[in-house]
Amino acid sequence: MLSRLVSSGVLASVCLLGMALGSVLHLLVPAVPLWVSGLCGWSALVFMLLGSRSLQPFTQFFLLAGAGGLLLVWGILRGGHVSTTDILLQNNGLLVMLYCVGFLRLIAAGEGAVQESLPMGRKAFLQTLLGMQLLGAVINISILMLMAERLRAGGALDRRAAVVLSRGFSMAAYWSPFFAAMAVALTYAPGAQLYSVVLTGLGLMLVSLLVSVLELGGWRLQKVADFRGHPLHFSSLIIPLMLAVSVMVLHAWLPSVPVLMEVSITSVLLTVVFLWIKRPQSVRRELTAHVQASGARMAREVSLFLGAGLLSVGVQTLSGTFDWQPFSHFGGLQASLALAAAILVSLSGVHPVVSVSVLGSLLTSLPVDPNMLAVLFLCFWSLGVVASPFSGLNTVLRGQFDVSGMALFKGNIRYVLLMWLVASLVFFGKMG
């Protein structure tokens, strides 16, 4: 039994590597079909299912894929058309990006932070909020776990710390090119320009940062005078800054290359270079271990995004057989209501990517500003994950800080409502 589990996990990891290499090969040699990458992604999921001791972690995949399959069959029976390639490649680009960005965890976690005592006071509060946002923008959920574990080990176990981490992490979804949210937004808002989306997202991030500082800290930060937080040093920001600059420069130099591929390639190349400079003797060993563990580490993301992708294909296939469309126009009011609906849906435990995939599929035939549509999808993600007690973000914090989902919900709901109002004003101003 153990050998079967190990071999299935290794095969899943090999397939994920093949998924990434297939995309790169297609970029370099267009004659190599891109569906090879998609087939490797689905094969990885099959091996993950075969190697799992329980299918419970894949419940959401079965629900999404089941609903998508039913809609797909219904659409085909009504005369709709879909190709195998459509199914294989839906959400493939963002999965490749997630896989490649995962390499950054090998270099982006600060060394020696564990030995440093926890700072206290207003500065500690700001360092924790900013550090979580800036580092989370690059290495995603890994830094959340590292910071949470560091605070727990240091005895900083209170609801405030958990809320600060959840706010800081969710803010990164507004703007970071390395965040899964950006990959989803660009996938379901074809034609969106990275620069425009990032600039608008940065504006929302700064407003959310100001709202959080004032709400949690008070006008003079008097509420956090005794706050124990996580240290932040300039050296820990070098890699995030280099990555962001590299992607922007590469995008300006090669505008025809998909942004997701630029992020993917940059993440892996910089990881290899930094490892070679800092730990040349262990480069091969660390990279090999990381690749071999990728199957188990990415099981949740692979199943979630492939399931959501199949649901999206089903919605597109079925909706294309009807003359009726749910929207005759999609402007500021519709965007505001859609955001409110997505937040409410997320409270039930449904991941924001499901709301994005459904709405994105329904809007394919409407003339919607792709940049603002991408920003809307980023808001789905940012506000959805921080609002829901059942999101992966808050699940991690509940486990590390021993706080209830209701406590996190109460700590964040006012912020979510305020940011919904702010985002709605942006949509009304930009979309009419």
Side-chain angles (χ1 to χ4, degrees):
M1 179 67 175
L2 181 59
S3 61
R4 183 176 71 85
L5 292 175
V6 171
S7 66
S8 296
V10 171
L11 288 172
S13 299
V14 170
C15 288
L16 290 176
L17 178 61
M19 177 185 71
L21 292 177
S23 289
V24 175
L25 283 175
H26 174 74
L27 181 66
L28 299 176
V29 185
V32 177
L34 187 56
W35 60 259
V36 172
S37 175
L39 182 60
C40 286
W42 277 95
S43 299
L45 176 60
V46 170
F47 287 120
M48 291 172 185
L49 291 169
L50 292 175
S52 178
R53 294 183 176 86
S54 169
L55 295 181
Q56 185 175 359
F58 299 94
T59 300
Q60 196 165 30
F61 165 75
F62 289 120
L63 292 174
L64 294 173
L70 290 174
L71 294 175
L72 187 61
V73 171
W74 187 6
I76 292 174
L77 291 176
R78 286 183 51 85
H81 300 283
V82 66
S83 68
T84 305
T85 302
D86 293 332
I87 297 174
L88 290 177
L89 295 182
Q90 187 69 37
N91 289 349
N92 175 257
L94 68 90
L95 275 177
V96 171
M97 195 207 81
L98 283 177
Y99 176 80
C100 294
V101 168
F103 281 84
L104 293 172
R105 71 180 64 209
L106 296 175
I107 60 172
E111 299 177 0
V114 174
Q115 289 74 32
E116 184 177 352
S117 60
L118 296 179
M120 178 179 289
R122 299 172 176 85
K123 186 177 179 180
F125 166 72
L126 295 175
Q127 284 183 337
T128 304
L129 187 61
L130 288 171
M132 183 75 263
Q133 197 272 134
L134 294 174
L135 297 178
V138 175
I139 56 176
N140 305 150
I141 200 74
S142 300
I143 193 63
L144 175 68
M145 295 177 177
L146 289 171
M147 279 196 176
E149 172 60 27
R150 178 69 184 93
L151 292 176
R152 187 188 66 81
L157 295 173
D158 57 31
R159 193 191 76 166
R160 284 190 307 173
V163 170
V164 168
L165 292 185
S166 67
R167 298 275 186 94
F169 184 78
S170 66
M171 288 176 198
Y174 283 125
W175 69 273
S176 172
F178 305 95
F179 217 81
M182 184 65 75
V184 172
L186 296 179
T187 298
Y188 286 96
Q193 299 298 310
L194 180 64
Y195 291 139
S196 298
V197 175
V198 168
L199 285 175
T200 304
L202 281 171
L204 287 171
M205 181 273 290
L206 291 174
V207 173
S208 66
L209 191 64
L210 179 62
V211 168
S212 293
V213 169
L214 294 177
E215 183 204 354
L216 298 175
W219 288 98
R220 298 177 180 272
L221 297 183
Q222 71 278 3
K223 296 181 182 179
V224 291
D226 60 345
F227 182 87
R228 296 184 66 192
H230 195 280
L232 175 66
H233 303 292
F234 177 76
S235 59
S236 63
L237 301 179
I238 293 177
I239 292 174
L241 289 173
M242 287 191 64
L243 283 165
V245 171
S246 297
V247 169
M248 296 300 179
V249 171
L250 188 60
H251 186 60
W253 181 37
L254 299 171
S256 61
V257 177
V259 173
L260 300 186
M261 281 305 302
E262 292 173 344
V263 173
S264 302
I265 293 172
T266 302
S267 299
V268 175
L269 288 180
L270 283 182
T271 297
V272 173
V273 170
F274 268 80
L275 282 177
W276 191 266
I277 294 174
K278 295 173 63 177
R279 303 188 291 273
Q281 298 84 1
S282 63
V283 173
R284 184 175 179 179
R285 176 178 55 80
E286 290 189 53
L287 290 174
T288 300
H290 180 84
V291 169
Q292 290 178 342
S294 61
R297 185 176 59 247
M298 289 192 64
R300 180 179 180 275
E301 289 89 346
V302 171
S303 61
L304 172 64
F305 290 120
L306 289 182
L310 187 56
L311 176 63
S312 175
V313 172
V315 171
Q316 291 179 48
T317 303
L318 179 60
S319 62
T321 66
F322 289 95
D323 293 330
W324 174 84
Q325 292 292 333
F327 303 101
S328 59
H329 167 73
F330 196 84
L333 176 61
Q334 290 77 13
S336 176
L337 294 176
L339 178 56
I343 294 171
L344 290 175
V345 169
S346 71
L347 292 177
S348 66
V350 176
H351 197 282
V353 72
V354 178
S355 300
V356 172
S357 62
V358 171
L359 183 61
S361 302
L362 294 174
L363 295 178
T364 53
S365 61
L366 285 182
V368 184
D369 180 353
N371 293 324
M372 291 312 301
L373 184 60
V375 171
L376 173 62
F377 292 156
L378 294 177
C379 292
F380 275 22
W381 193 293
S382 181
L383 297 181
V385 297
V386 77
S388 174
F390 309 106
S391 67
L393 162 64
N394 285 330
T395 298
V396 169
L397 294 175
R398 282 161 55 195
Q400 292 283 4
F401 286 85
D402 194 26
V403 295
S404 68
M406 183 55 67
L408 287 171
F409 173 78
K410 290 180 178 179
N412 286 315
I413 188 59
R414 184 165 58 175
Y415 160 80
V416 170
L417 292 174
L418 286 172
M419 286 310 301
W420 171 74
L421 289 173
V422 171
S424 296
L425 291 175
V426 173
F427 296 139
F428 277 110
K430 295 281 189 175
M431 302 173 74

